[in-house]
Amino acid sequence: MSKADLVFTHGPVHTGDPARSRATALAVTGERITAVGHDEVRELIGPGTEVVDLTGRLLIPGFQDAHIHAVYGGTELATCDLTGTVGVDDYLDRVRAYAEANPDQAWITGSGWSMESFEGGLPTRQLLDSVVPDRPVYLTNRDHHGAWANTRALELAGLTGDTPDPADGRIEREADGSPSGVLQEGATALVARLVPPSTAADRLAGLLRAQRLLHSLGITGWQDALLGVFNGQPDPSDAYLAAARAGTLTARVTGALWWERDRGADQIPELVARRDELSHGRFRAGSVKIMQDGIAENFTAAMTSPYLDGCGCATGNSGLSFVDPAALREHVTALDALDFQVHFHALGDRAVREALDAVEAARAANGRRATRHHLAHLQVVHPQDVARFARIGAIANIQPLWAAHEPQMDELTIPFLGPERAAWQYPFGDLLRAGATLAAGSDWPVSSPDPLAGLHVAVNRMEPAATDGRVFLPEQRLDLVSALAAYTAGSAHVNGHDDAGSLRAGHLADLVVLDRDILTAPAEEIAEARVLRTYVGGQLVHAAG
């Protein structure tokens, strides 16, 4: 009997296999799992076998993130970081300190400010002018659907009170019509186009920086949700291809090619060529990202009925559908016929319905194909559409961290949705009960990439640090096994890795060792767990110090 390269003993082992969910030992040979069981697995230990004693620790399948922007996130870690605080003075102190530490940078750039920090979610150019008056400043918010610019940046972009809003965005304005300093959605490109682009070396360094962080969180693979030029951001595809060719891409990555929403079917041949050009080693680009709407906080998410105003009265705004719904059905049908997966950004209930209609049209025209189309975000889902996911085979790609009470939800969203529609938010439990396949992701750098934090919110519907005891729509909570399946097997399925996401003989040895058994610990302690080891294909890619 041949001996294994790696054996884990004295479990617990959570396999993710419903027929055999728990084991105490697992063996790996090469890049694959060769045995899962109990004491009999120890027979595979030989003189050259590495043995990992799990006593008190939990072995699980590697996490996969079904919606993330890893290169953006890794690159932003090297710019002005505004995450981890909601204090306006903190933001300004950080911008000032970054500018002082980088006197030779022509532009001050960064990300991470939160809309909840400002009245109406809108900071002003004058605030930035007070700390950096002489150089342009451009800072994206934590959602990356808006940006905050100082007066110098607006002047360089030529923005005035006479500048019209672009079709896919909005320039926030002062009382006299002058730009106030906040740009929403497509309007961000009016300034972003002037920001010195990152270099290929910057993007590759950002990818490798992100990969180290993600592996430290137990993430073994992901789907990068935007490969292309977007709102002035350069295309990160070259970083993935360079890392894949050099052998430094240790994660398994699927890339979603950006659908340019001001173009039509003429771009499909280019997408086919890019899919062939970019797929190499552990990187493949077989998905297409279509952003159908914006976000609820700036009233650009597409809704079936109008947003409310501050007095609770209906407005004339129901959000934006970036792609005409009839054209969307045609495009998705054509992409499906070419074996592309379509990765939708669909946040409002109208956008969700339009995306489901497009998937249904593709199924009617082409039959059921293994294209695994998925809808990401799903903040508001009309109850009439919940059952459609399972019926047409559309996967629900959830970002659990957002399904909790916090100021952006309570102050900038719920009042403008109204009570009925607010109760339709993030219906994870309803989707699961209706038979939908769930995948999970983070949308990092929009929010934390930590899967354990996401699991905590999926199960508790409360942020890990919450102290007020308020549960956000408790009937939509997931049990931990189902939530864990979404972060492992569900996302592996979306990413095209059917031989990952569960621990079975013959499957890829993408594994994570946690410091405790979260399946037997209290639910309120899930986020306290930590990753001790991460393996991809049997190779150790992270070990906690």
Side-chain angles (χ1 to χ4, degrees), residues 1-328:
M1 179 185 297
S2 59
K3 302 303 182 182
D5 297 322
L6 175 65
V7 171
F8 297 87
T9 63
H10 302 124
V13 176
H14 174 73
T15 67
D17 181 351
R20 190 185 193 187
S21 62
R22 299 284 275 191
T24 57
L26 180 144
V28 176
T29 304
E31 68 171 1
R32 295 194 177 266
I33 298 166
T34 45
V36 181
H38 300 284
D39 289 346
E40 73 279 7
V41 176
R42 295 181 62 84
E43 298 175 8
L44 299 177
I45 298 174
T49 303
E50 178 186 356
V51 179
V52 177
D53 188 339
L54 291 172
T55 301
R57 299 173 291 175
L58 177 67
L59 182 68
I60 61 173
F63 296 118
Q64 293 207 22
D65 193 309
H67 184 105
I68 195 171
H69 305 279
V71 177
Y72 291 162
T75 303
E76 285 180 6
L77 290 174
T79 64
C80 183
D81 182 12
L82 302 181
T83 61
T85 183
V86 292
V88 175
D89 289 341
D90 288 342
Y91 295 152
L92 298 178
D93 287 345
R94 292 187 191 187
V95 172
R96 180 190 294 107
Y98 184 85
E100 290 174 352
N102 295 275
D104 297 328
Q105 285 193 5
W107 281 71
I108 303 303
T109 60
S111 185
W113 59 272
S114 180
M115 294 172 67
E116 71 188 67
S117 303
F118 305 96
E119 183 177 356
L122 302 175
T124 67
R125 59 187 173 88
Q126 290 87 354
L127 283 171
L128 288 178
D129 294 346
S130 70
V131 291
V132 185
D134 54 339
R135 281 184 283 170
V137 181
Y138 179 81
L139 306 165
T140 53
N141 69 10
R142 76 178 191 186
D143 293 316
H144 289 69
H145 288 262
W148 179 17
N150 71 348
T151 300
R152 184 62 180 144
L154 297 170
E155 289 173 346
L156 288 173
L159 300 189
T160 69
D162 296 325
T163 305
D165 289 342
D168 60 349
R170 184 172 69 249
I171 302 169
E172 300 291 355
R173 301 178 188 272
E174 297 171 354
D176 64 357
S178 301
S180 69
V182 172
L183 307 164
Q184 306 285 15
E185 298 295 342
T188 59
L190 299 174
V191 173
R193 63 185 173 81
L194 301 178
V195 175
S198 62
T199 66
D202 293 334
R203 292 189 290 277
L204 179 57
L207 170 59
L208 298 180
R209 190 182 295 119
Q211 182 173 251
R212 289 190 295 272
L213 171 64
L214 298 176
H215 282 337
S216 77
L217 298 172
I219 297 170
T220 58
W222 62 80
Q223 183 158 155
D224 194 301
L226 204 167
L227 298 185
V229 176
F230 172 67
N231 282 354
Q233 294 273 8
D235 183 356
S237 302
D238 57 351
Y240 284 113
L241 189 57
R245 286 175 171 166
T248 54
L249 184 66
T250 49
R252 307 183 196 281
V253 180
T254 297
L257 303 172
W258 176 242
W259 180 269
E260 296 183 31
R261 55 201 186 204
D262 57 349
R263 297 177 61 191
D266 62 298
Q267 65 190 292
I268 292 178
E270 299 168 24
L271 295 172
V272 173
R274 292 197 74 206
R275 175 173 61 182
D276 296 340
E277 171 195 350
L278 291 174
S279 298
H280 185 90
R282 286 185 172 174
F283 176 58
R284 51 193 178 191
S287 188
V288 173
K289 167 70 173 295
I290 298 180
M291 181 180 286
Q292 186 57 11
D293 68 342
I295 61 172
E297 293 86 354
N298 68 10
F299 315 120
T300 58
M303 301 292 179
T304 56
S305 58
Y307 289 95
L308 307 182
D309 62 19
C311 299
C313 299
T315 68
N317 175 31
S318 297
L320 300 174
S321 292
F322 291 133
V323 181
D324 174 78
L328 182 68

